[in-house]
Amino acid sequence: MSESAAKDTPEQAQFREHCRQWLADNHPGEPPVRLPQSPLEIMTTEQLDYLQAWQKAAYDAGLVGCDYPEEVGGGGRNDCQRVANAEMIRARTPFLPNVIGLGMAAPTVFYHGQEALKQRLLPRLFSGEDIWCQGFSEPGAGSDLASVQTFAEKKGDKWVINGHKVWTSLAHFAEWMILLLRTDKSHKYDGLSYFVVPIRSALGKGVTVRPLIKITGETGFNEVIFEDLEVDDSFRLDELGKGWQVAMTTLAHERGAGEKVTPRSGGMKSRSTHSSTSSSLIELARQCQRDGRPASEDALLRDRIIRQVIREEGLAQNQRRARVAALQDHPARLPLQNKLLSSEIAQDTGAIAMEVAGASASLYLGDDNAPAGGQWPMAYMNSYGMTIAAGTSEVQRNILGERVLGLAKSK
Amino acid sequence: MDMSQPDNFGFTEEAALLKESARKFLADNFPTEKLHALVADDPDPERMPGAHWDRELWQQMVELGWTCLAVPEAAGGVGMPVVAVAGLVEEVGRAAFPCPLLATLNATYALAACGSGGEAALAEIAGGTSASLAVTGQDGSWSVGDSAVKCADGRLIGSAWFVQDARKVERLLVSAQDEDGLGLYWVAVDAEGVDLRPDAIVDLTRDQAHVVFDNAPAQRVSGDAAAALGAAMPAIWSLLAADIAGAAEWQLQTTVEYVGTRQQFERPLGFFQAVKHPLVDVMVQIDQTRSLLYNAACACDTEPAAAARYAHMAKASASETAAFASGRSVQLHGGIGFTWECFVHLYFKRQKHSQMLWGDAAWHRARLADMLIGTAA
């Protein structure tokens, strides 16, 4: 609904045809290993190899980074990423593993990096050959992100970095990190600067990556410790002291409110993937019993399930309406709701699914009798990652209240 | 993925202009102070039913052509898409303007689904005549097809209930049992045998009545009321959702303004997250409703097979919005919000009326559940 072939420009129509053709001939097929529910829980090199090969193939076919200029490894197209995304999802492809690179690092480097840096970094980012991670949060800097203490000290023409980052998804596979740090301790916001840092090549030489274990039992995120890591000044994005402004570009894209459309694929259905959607919930309700009848016949559960159907449709229609200028009062009002809504809808759907499953909701991944292979309890627990990461739901409500409604700042 | 709806909901530049001009017209001519002065003259909870409205301003709206926008071109109207009409209705809701626009539009969509039988009545509407539906029984069931009115030899006998803005309209479109089944009848409000009995309602911005027919002369416009009303309902639900969304936006902005100026603990109230976050939630809920209602209206225009499904979603969401925005608007105004002098009660009451009108949220979700999950055994 939100994406219609009927309204394609000639360029989009031709590109859509190309995507369809290529996807029909090049779908990567069933994965050889169990895949996690999202790229943020990639744990093994087998999982990563399969997904990286998929991203490389999709990039080589022009489906990833298509709206970026050719000089930086993009496709040089106009508003075509949406088309590629829709076609990939329609074809039920696997997801793209370099999710932080594509969604956050690419637009940030593109809008704030020097030309030579863009040309060096972006092609291997788009192809997925270089995995990226994000160094923002710290033990003492969560919702109050601007209080980061990781410090870069100028020594000659180099910077020497010391500090501690946490919740760093994909750091265990990442070549590069986007890094928000402090270059001046006397100014909270204006003392921040922004770098891209090669971390894989520096492992054991100033960079330590340690896995953190999530509530689900999975890994996928890490803590990263910098001890006298030397980096070149050419890895700095934008001016010294402009780190906060650069971080806003990153966060806007992370929350789905940025200039660039993030390349996305997904939708692959197999025993190894799961989506917390209302249609999966309806399926579950048909399979589970309640008082000797399908749970899908229980009036109260039906009502709760349909609420989720409506909220999902509302989110999809928000995204459609966000592109109709005459039907909105404030340009950031709908985009800034995306992350809040999608994470809370998925969380509530997971919670309802566990009630629908009743006693069987107690069964986890390792139990053969678990409904849907135990994916629902895992999804429900993982949903808290989504309502906490990238600015908690509470921070999102502050941002919406302050930037869109103009209420006084809560800080 | 559905490919048949246009990306922009079919909301053309013409629709945007109509919406913008309606907003300006109502802001210029009908500020909330005027609404309050017009409708809130008698706080007595046992007051006689009133029907306060600005006929002159309404007449200007008729002359602007707003009442014939939905009338098909073949019947002398403008034939504007539902999505454009929804934009207009959103603005009327924002102003909480007491008038029979929604009632007349509802009758228009039902008549437009009557085939050739509806043409003469539609031509009257195109000429500026107002109308309302009289299709509901005393139990307030919103199921299309319920009627306690009978018709024999072109004369109506019995009662219709919950007729909206009955004292402002000139014609009624009545569903009545006749020898062939359930038909739709067009009757003049001032005809002999039509007795309007005003309901004492909470909402000050509308009037409502039950209508007793005692051999009232009526003209049959359709032999299948259930089919015509069924076809019209998605547009009716979508437009009421638009009215609710517009009114809710007024509630939101008015409350935001209040908590931005009112100081407690040496700070504006809006600084406190216990105030800020519920207001954000109201905004989020309004936006869901707006997005869903334009989708539903667009489906009425371009994808009729899906229109009922999407319109159920829109009105279910709108009913939640009406309740939530109303509750928060009074609560966050504090003591003053609980008084007759503060304007928020006007919208609170209008929204509570709209919340139940043509089905509340749970009713619409139950219909959706039947469509999407299957009927429960």
Side-chain angles (χ1 to χ4, degrees):
Chain A
M1 268 149 288
S2 56
E3 207 289 327
S4 155
K7 286 280 172 175
D8 278 348
T9 63
E11 182 188 0
Q12 287 170 327
Q14 193 198 15
F15 181 63
R16 190 183 295 277
E17 194 44 45
H18 162 72
C19 294
R20 283 185 184 173
Q21 283 282 327
W22 185 81
L23 286 161
D25 300 337
N26 293 280
H27 194 286
E30 189 71 11
V33 288
R34 186 191 80 84
L35 290 182
Q37 291 178 348
S38 91
L40 300 182
E41 290 88 33
I42 299 171
M43 290 197 284
T44 67
T45 48
E46 289 79 11
Q47 292 172 334
L48 184 67
D49 288 346
Y50 169 81
L51 292 165
Q52 266 183 312
W54 154 241
Q55 181 167 337
K56 177 81 165 56
Y59 171 69
D60 288 342
L63 275 59
V64 177
C66 26
D67 295 339
Y68 285 87
E70 288 177 23
E71 305 84 78
V72 300
R77 298 180 185 279
N78 298 301
D79 200 14
C80 281
Q81 191 63 57
R82 290 198 289 127
V83 174
N85 292 357
E87 293 305 322
M88 287 193 278
I89 287 162
R90 214 167 73 111
R92 298 192 178 285
T93 51
F95 50 70
L96 299 167
N98 198 16
V99 61
I100 290 165
L102 294 169
M104 291 176 251
T108 309
V109 170
F110 180 72
Y111 287 114
H112 300 280
Q114 291 172 16
E115 202 54 38
L117 197 64
K118 294 187 216 181
Q119 291 180 12
R120 171 177 168 190
L121 298 179
L122 291 180
R124 290 176 61 86
L125 183 161
F126 294 138
S127 70
E129 289 163 282
D130 286 351
I131 299 292
W132 282 68
C133 65
Q134 175 196 21
F136 273 31
S137 293
E138 296 180 4
S143 290
D144 184 11
L145 177 63
S147 66
V148 297
Q149 295 303 318
T150 294
F151 191 70
E153 192 181 358
K154 194 83 188 272
K155 290 216 172 137
D157 57 352
K158 298 275 185 189
W159 292 92
V160 178
I161 300 174
N162 280 284
H164 186 177
K165 293 288 174 182
V166 288
W167 326 135
T168 318
S169 293
L170 293 173
H172 51 307
F173 294 126
E175 297 287 342
W176 288 89
M177 173 190 271
I178 43 176
L179 178 57
L180 180 67
L181 48 63
R182 182 161 296 290
T183 45
D184 178 349
K185 290 179 181 169
S186 57
H187 298 284
K188 182 168 179 180
Y189 288 89
D190 295 341
L192 296 169
S193 296
Y194 200 121
F195 284 78
V196 292
V197 173
I199 60 165
R200 196 165 179 80
S201 58
L203 284 177
K205 295 173 281 186
V207 174
T208 308
V209 176
R210 279 196 222 110
L212 296 167
I213 300 174
K214 301 186 186 191
I215 188 174
T216 57
E218 295 168 298
T219 57
F221 69 172
N222 306 274
E223 57 182 341
V224 179
I225 292 152
F226 296 100
E227 291 164 299
D228 293 330
L229 174 71
E230 270 194 12
V231 299
D232 202 90
D233 188 54
S234 65
F235 291 152
R236 180 165 45 79
L237 299 188
D238 220 309
E239 291 164 37
L240 211 57
K242 292 278 182 221
W244 186 251
Q245 287 84 332
V246 181
M248 288 304 107
T249 300
T250 312
L251 292 179
H253 283 85
E254 180 169 22
R255 292 161 185 165
E259 283 286 299
K260 292 278 184 203
V261 175
T262 295
R264 253 181 239 293
S265 72
M268 176 187 268
K269 272 260 166 73
S270 76
R271 65 182 163 75
S272 55
T273 57
H274 170 86
S275 65
S276 291
T277 58
S278 59
S279 54
S280 316
L281 184 55
I282 291 171
E283 269 320 296
L284 181 74
R286 288 192 174 123
Q287 289 157 18
C288 294
Q289 295 284 305
R290 175 163 288 229
D291 295 334
R293 284 166 43 200
S296 59
E297 294 182 9
D298 182 283
L300 294 179
L301 288 178
R302 287 159 71 85
D303 188 68
R304 298 182 65 193
I305 292 168
I306 292 299
R307 279 174 191 269
Q308 297 307 101
V309 172
I310 295 171
R311 290 172 79 193
E312 272 175 21
E313 187 66 39
L315 176 61
Q317 297 301 334
N318 269 359
Q319 288 161 355
R320 178 181 178 196
R321 183 160 65 86
R323 299 202 294 272
V324 185
L327 288 178
Q328 48 198 312
D329 310 321
H330 186 294
R333 179 165 161 167
L334 290 174
L336 284 174
Q337 291 177 36
N338 259 339
K339 189 258 177 185
L340 177 71
L341 269 174
S342 57
S343 62
E344 294 194 343
I345 292 170
Q347 188 163 89
D348 292 345
T349 298
I352 296 166
M354 293 195 60
E355 289 190 52
V356 164
S360 301
S362 60
L363 306 174
Y364 203 24
L365 254 55
D367 195 292
D368 292 341
N369 297 313
Q375 293 282 339
W376 279 107
M378 167 164 271
Y380 176 59
M381 289 190 277
N382 261 330
S383 74
Y384 285 86
M386 304 311 292
T387 53
I388 293 168
T392 63
S393 294
E394 290 71 25
V395 167
Q396 302 299 328
R397 285 188 169 84
N398 281 350
I399 293 172
L400 281 160
E402 290 157 20
R403 282 204 218 147
V404 179
L405 294 178
L407 298 171
K409 283 201 162 212
S410 297
K411 71 164 174 72
Chain B
M1 184 157 294
D2 196 326
M3 294 291 185
S4 58
Q5 282 202 22
D7 259 1
N8 68 350
F9 303 95
F11 198 81
T12 57
E13 210 161 302
E14 198 182 4
L17 278 172
L18 170 67
K19 189 172 193 297
E20 196 45 47
S21 65
R23 187 172 191 158
K24 189 168 180 333
F25 177 85
L26 288 160
D28 290 349
N29 294 290
F30 201 71
T32 314
E33 301 77 41
K34 200 167 166 186
L35 172 68
H36 203 266
L38 182 66
V39 303
D41 62 329
D42 184 5
D44 182 358
E46 294 183 52
R47 67 185 170 272
M48 297 302 291
H52 301 299
W53 61 310
D54 186 334
R55 279 169 194 273
E56 255 175 57
L57 210 50
W58 167 250
Q59 205 45 50
Q60 287 182 43
M61 289 183 176
V62 173
E63 279 155 25
L64 284 167
W66 292 359
T67 54
C68 67
L69 291 176
V71 176
E73 280 177 286
V78 182
M80 264 213 169
V82 179
V83 80
V85 177
L88 167 67
V89 171
E90 200 186 335
E91 297 307 325
V92 174
R94 188 193 306 270
F97 184 66
C99 72
L101 179 66
L102 213 43
T104 303
L105 288 167
N106 292 349
T108 303
Y109 289 114
L111 287 166
C114 290
S116 59
E119 279 171 11
L122 282 170
E124 284 189 60
I125 291 178
T129 301
S130 57
S132 189
L133 293 175
V135 298
T136 309
Q138 189 173 5
D139 63 0
S141 152
W142 301 112
S143 293
V144 166
D146 284 6
S147 177
V149 183
K150 290 188 166 47
C151 188
D153 304 324
R155 300 267 166 179
L156 298 175
I157 296 175
S159 297
W161 291 75
F162 306 107
V163 179
Q164 300 303 304
D165 290 304
R167 289 155 79 187
K168 303 186 186 86
V169 298
E170 297 150 281
R171 300 284 183 274
L172 297 175
L173 187 60
V174 186
S175 61
Q177 297 287 343
D178 57 32
E179 59 270 29
D180 300 328
L182 193 68
L184 274 180
Y185 289 84
W186 186 242
V187 56
V189 171
D190 59 5
E192 55 168 320
V194 178
D195 185 9
L196 286 192
R197 300 188 181 173
D199 299 337
I201 60 172
V202 178
D203 183 5
L204 297 160
T205 67
R206 288 186 173 97
D207 80 272
Q208 180 181 287
H210 56 283
V211 186
V212 179
F213 300 102
D214 182 14
N215 279 303
Q219 206 177 343
R220 188 160 101 156
V221 297
S222 166
D224 191 349
L229 292 170
M233 273 304 154
I236 291 171
W237 295 326
S238 303
L239 293 185
L240 183 53
D243 187 287
I244 289 171
E249 188 67 24
W250 182 94
Q251 294 176 307
L252 172 67
Q253 296 304 337
T254 302
T255 311
V256 162
E257 197 182 322
Y258 180 75
V259 304
T261 46
R262 168 84 174 163
Q263 303 255 336
Q264 290 288 278
F265 308 105
E266 297 85 44
R267 294 183 182 280
L269 287 179
F271 163 87
F272 299 100
Q273 291 172 346
V275 171
K276 180 180 290 175
H277 290 187
L279 283 170
V280 167
D281 289 339
V282 168
M283 173 173 76
V284 167
Q285 178 64 38
I286 291 172
D287 280 320
Q288 291 260 299
T289 298
R290 285 185 88 192
S291 299
L292 287 165
L293 83 88
Y294 283 103
N295 174 53
C298 181
C300 293
D301 296 322
T302 63
E303 199 190 359
R309 172 161 46 105
Y310 289 137
H312 279 308
M313 293 187 191
K315 182 57 179 38
S317 173
S319 287
E320 300 278 4
T321 298
F324 186 47
S326 297
R328 291 309 88 197
S329 69
V330 170
Q331 179 70 24
L332 296 175
H333 270 80
I336 194 73
F338 186 61
T339 67
W340 189 269
E341 72 174 273
C342 177
F343 298 158
V344 293
H345 76 98
L346 299 173
Y347 282 79
F348 181 98
K349 292 164 186 174
R350 182 180 176 87
Q351 294 284 61
K352 294 307 282 185
H353 189 101
S354 300
Q355 182 188 343
M356 314 319 160
L357 187 60
W358 303 117
D360 61 18
W363 186 85
H364 284 281
R365 286 197 297 266
R367 305 285 85 71
L368 263 179
D370 291 346
M371 289 174 148
L372 301 178
I373 307 177
T375 320

